[in-house]
Amino acid sequence: MSKSYDNSALAPHTSYYHCMKKKITDSGIEIKEVYTASDAPEDGNELPGAFPFTRGVQPDMYRGKLWTMRQYAGFSTAEESNKRYQYLLSQGVNGLSVAFDLPTQIGYDSDHHLSEGEVGKVGVAIDSLEDMESLFKGIRLEDITTSMTINATGFILLAFYIALAKKQGADLSKISGTIQNDILKEYAARGTYIYPPKPSMRIITDIFEWCGEQVPKWNTISISGYHIREAGSTAVQEIAFTLSNGKAYVKAAIEKGMDINVFGKRLSFFFNAHNNLFEEVAKFRAARKMWAVIMQDLGATDPKAMMLRFHTQTGGATLTAQQPLNNVTRVSIQTLAAVLGGTQSLHTNGYDEALSLPTEEAAGIALRTQQIVAFESGVPDTADPLAGSFYVESLTTEVEDQAWKLVEKIDAMGGSVAAIEQGFMQDEIGKSAYEYQRQIESGEKIIVGVNKFQSIQAYTPPSFKIDDNIRQVQIDKLYKLKQERNNALVAGCLQRINQAAQSTANLIPAVLEAVENYCTLGEISDELRKVFGEYK
């Protein structure tokens, strides 16, 4: 039998609290000294799996199925990346996540003069279906889910993937995965765009439409807050700007005559996890609730179309080159934030990523971090274990309220496209990035090993090196491919892409035909540059 106590005599003296330094989160939310039941919202009977999904999108969450454990990988050539994928799959990864090099992301083949110095450096070089065949050699696409971090050329990489699945004899109705395909955040935060906003939005809705008919399990977009956060935003800005971008995509699809209850089920999101554990958990919970309301307001009636499903990656910008082994602890905290917040899949960064691409050892430790949380911590044993915490519930409401204010401001401007064109998102992110750096330099914010607790003796882990001859290897492959393919067929395919772009026809069938005939990524991108132009 539990006992009750009169603890009034133990209550801290009020003046003690007044002399404490004010505490705020990275989003500027002031943290009270103590939280009580009066701080928590009144709607405390909400359950996981029920609208508005604050507590999670599944009633049993991880008791039914753990999150998908992904490791983001891709470097050098397709052949080299395939070796890393085979290793990760052997170690228990159940979903692949592909990083592409910058030329691939902005529509240049490896032999283009602007590709010099960048081929295979921050991801794998994919110039043609031949490279995609090498990338997934020995891997059945029906047996895995694949996430591809690619935006401006996402539709071409999707075509490569589907063409490979067809060559493998796969049932396209069983193929599952995600292309990031989120061009609005490229204009706002990252910069790997090609075409102006209007044709870019047209390509995205073409993907929604085609995938809904041909690959119904494919997530057609991963609306990304990750890169917004990496560019310097706060947690509040991350979800406000991301959900506003999501609204823009949904409205564009509705205007094209698509059913929100159908395409809405294939939308997914991609968020960052930083070190402020409780603010991050509150962020994920608030984002789910807000998206459910947004989708309902836009006309969704199917609960599955209102669910915010998301992938999380631990915060690359939080990793330090100083005392890099400390990053194992940072990634562990961020992993807990993602899981406590209800993520559907997760990538954990290697501790050495502030210095280079992750070594195999670092990637292995990162994966083991997820597995330890999954199988040893007890965190996944119940849905939304922090629900009912006076602090977390109050913080969830605070994050939501501040994010709604930003969403409403963007709506008043005419939506995300207009807000980006006016520079609003970019300016807000820039201000937050400046303030964060100012706090570090002034010592207001402590980064262990960087501005406090520095070590005299530095530890430098072995780094992962990319062979400088990679570009020549890719150029030689391209030359051989162009000698051996049917170039008359290639010319016809490119002409049909041009014609489709000038009409209202869906672009994807023409692009799929082109990649099946070994047109290259650069050739397809250039054909569309002729019609759409480039965004400056």
Side-chain angles (χ1 to χ4, degrees):
M1 181 176 177
S2 62
K3 296 180 180 180
S4 60
Y5 298 91
D6 177 5
N7 62 2
S8 58
L10 301 176
H13 195 274
T14 305
S15 62
Y16 168 77
Y17 283 132
H18 285 305
C19 72
M20 290 178 68
K21 186 178 179 181
K22 185 168 76 171
K23 299 286 186 180
I24 60 171
T25 71
D26 291 339
S27 295
I29 297 170
E30 185 171 352
I31 303 303
K32 296 171 65 172
E33 293 92 341
V34 66
Y35 287 79
T36 66
S38 63
D39 296 299
E42 295 180 2
D43 54 345
N45 294 320
E46 187 182 320
L47 292 173
F51 183 90
F53 311 106
T54 313
R55 299 195 59 197
V57 294
Q58 298 295 337
D60 58 356
M61 283 306 290
Y62 304 128
R63 286 173 73 114
K65 181 187 176 185
L66 286 172
W67 63 93
T68 301
M69 297 184 195
R70 299 188 187 278
Q71 283 305 118
Y72 184 50
F75 53 85
S76 184
T77 63
E79 291 80 5
E80 288 299 311
S81 292
N82 177 263
K83 292 176 186 176
R84 177 66 64 88
Y85 295 158
Q86 297 285 3
Y87 166 75
L88 290 170
L89 289 167
S90 75
Q91 296 299 302
V93 158
N94 48 18
L96 296 177
S97 187
V98 184
F100 298 95
D101 71 0
L102 285 174
T104 302
Q105 292 182 48
I106 54 176
Y108 295 127
D109 288 333
S110 297
D111 59 359
H112 194 283
H113 71 277
L114 291 178
S115 298
E116 188 171 353
E118 295 294 344
V119 175
K121 291 294 174 70
V122 299
V124 62
I126 300 293
D127 294 322
S128 71
L129 177 56
E130 184 178 67
D131 287 328
M132 190 65 87
E133 291 165 352
S134 298
L135 187 66
F136 290 100
K137 186 177 181 181
I139 301 171
R140 293 285 305 168
L141 300 190
E142 268 191 34
D143 298 336
I144 59 165
T145 67
T146 302
S147 173
M148 295 188 279
T149 303
I150 195 85
N151 297 285
T153 55
F155 64 106
I156 304 174
L157 272 299
L158 174 63
F160 286 150
Y161 195 83
I162 297 303
L164 175 58
K166 289 170 70 176
K167 289 190 75 170
Q168 289 184 353
D171 179 351
L172 294 188
S173 68
K174 296 179 180 177
I175 295 296
S176 62
T178 308
I179 43 170
Q180 192 163 101
N181 196 30
D182 176 6
I183 201 65
L184 291 178
K185 70 97 172 49
E186 295 296 332
Y187 301 121
R190 190 160 174 269
T192 60
Y193 45 73
I194 303 174
Y195 315 112
K198 189 172 180 180
S200 294
M201 293 291 281
R202 177 256 178 101
I203 292 170
I204 288 170
T205 55
D206 281 357
I207 292 168
F208 288 0
E209 184 177 60
W210 186 86
C211 287
E213 297 170 358
Q214 303 297 326
V215 278
K217 287 189 175 182
W218 193 265
N219 296 318
T220 50
I221 193 168
S222 178
I223 305 161
S224 176
Y226 183 85
H227 300 100
I228 290 171
R229 192 68 178 279
E230 289 291 286
S233 82
T234 65
V236 165
Q237 290 169 337
E238 179 187 355
I239 60 169
F241 296 165
T242 304
L243 299 183
S244 291
N245 289 347
K247 282 178 71 173
Y249 295 127
V250 171
K251 287 182 175 181
I254 291 171
E255 287 171 7
K256 196 166 183 174
M258 298 174 66
D259 185 346
I260 190 172
N261 287 316
V262 176
F263 74 81
K265 297 175 187 177
R266 304 278 26 117
L267 305 177
S268 66
F269 288 79
F270 175 27
F271 290 122
N272 209 314
H274 273 218
N275 291 329
N276 192 319
L277 178 67
F278 296 108
E279 183 177 45
E280 293 301 293
V281 172
K283 176 189 77 178
F284 297 132
R285 298 174 90 246
R288 266 194 301 272
K289 184 176 182 181
M290 292 175 69
W291 186 246
V293 171
I294 287 169
M295 289 296 276
Q296 187 179 64
D297 289 348
L298 289 171
T301 55
D302 188 325
K304 289 187 176 179
M306 303 178 203
M307 293 178 179
L308 183 147
R309 299 166 299 114
F310 66 97
H311 169 70
T312 308
Q313 181 172 336
T314 56
T318 69
L319 303 181
T320 64
Q322 301 92 330
Q323 303 177 24
L325 289 175
N326 292 344
N327 294 327
V328 174
T329 304
R330 293 186 177 99
V331 170
S332 299
I333 292 168
Q334 294 161 12
T335 299
L336 281 171
V339 174
L340 288 166
T343 193
Q344 276 59 68
S345 73
L346 177 62
H347 162 82
T348 36
N349 289 330
Y351 67 84
D352 55 358
E353 290 189 48
L355 300 165
S356 68
L357 289 169
T359 59
E360 193 169 281
E361 178 197 45
I365 292 171
L367 174 60
R368 294 290 180 257
T369 301
Q370 293 200 49
Q371 292 167 334
I372 289 168
V373 170
F375 299 108
E376 297 185 29
S377 73
V379 169
D381 292 349
T382 188
D384 194 19
L386 291 183
S389 157
F390 303 144
Y391 177 36
V392 170
E393 295 292 358
S394 175
L395 193 53
T396 299
T397 301
E398 284 271 8
V399 169
E400 181 190 354
D401 289 347
Q402 289 201 15
W404 276 126
K405 289 175 184 176
L406 278 173
V407 170
E408 288 162 5
K409 189 175 286 190
I410 291 166
D411 285 345
M413 294 178 181
S416 275
V417 174
I420 289 166
E421 288 174 342
Q422 294 173 40
F424 172 74
M425 289 189 191
Q426 300 93 311
D427 288 347
E428 291 295 301
I429 294 168
K431 289 174 188 174
S432 295
Y434 173 82
E435 176 60 18
Y436 186 81
Q437 187 62 32
R438 186 198 65 76
Q439 290 177 8
I440 292 172
E441 292 180 7
S442 69
E444 294 171 54
K445 184 170 187 63
I446 294 171
I447 307 296
V448 174
V450 175
N451 64 354
K452 198 164 187 180
F453 313 115
Q454 296 100 329
S455 294
I456 298 172
Q457 187 174 7
Y459 166 73
T460 304
S463 60
F464 188 82
K465 300 291 186 183
I466 298 295
D467 190 336
D468 289 333
N469 294 322
I470 294 305
R471 182 171 184 245
Q472 190 57 52
V473 170
Q474 287 296 115
I475 289 172
D476 292 344
K477 285 166 64 178
L478 277 167
Y479 178 81
K480 186 171 183 288
L481 173 74
K482 291 176 180 180
Q483 292 294 310
E484 294 177 350
R485 68 185 183 180
N486 186 325
N487 285 299
L489 277 177
V490 165
C493 289
L494 294 174
Q495 184 179 13
R496 283 185 284 279
I497 288 174
N498 189 297
Q499 291 167 346
Q502 293 187 61
S503 71
T504 58
N506 192 301
L507 275 171
I508 308 305
V511 173
L512 182 58
E513 179 197 22
V515 303
E516 288 178 324
N517 285 289
Y518 292 91
C519 292
T520 70
L521 173 134
E523 289 169 336
I524 295 167
S525 300
D526 283 346
E527 201 63 40
L528 292 175
R529 282 183 175 97
K530 294 175 186 176
V531 180
F532 298 148
E534 291 186 88
Y535 182 70
K536 302 293 186 185

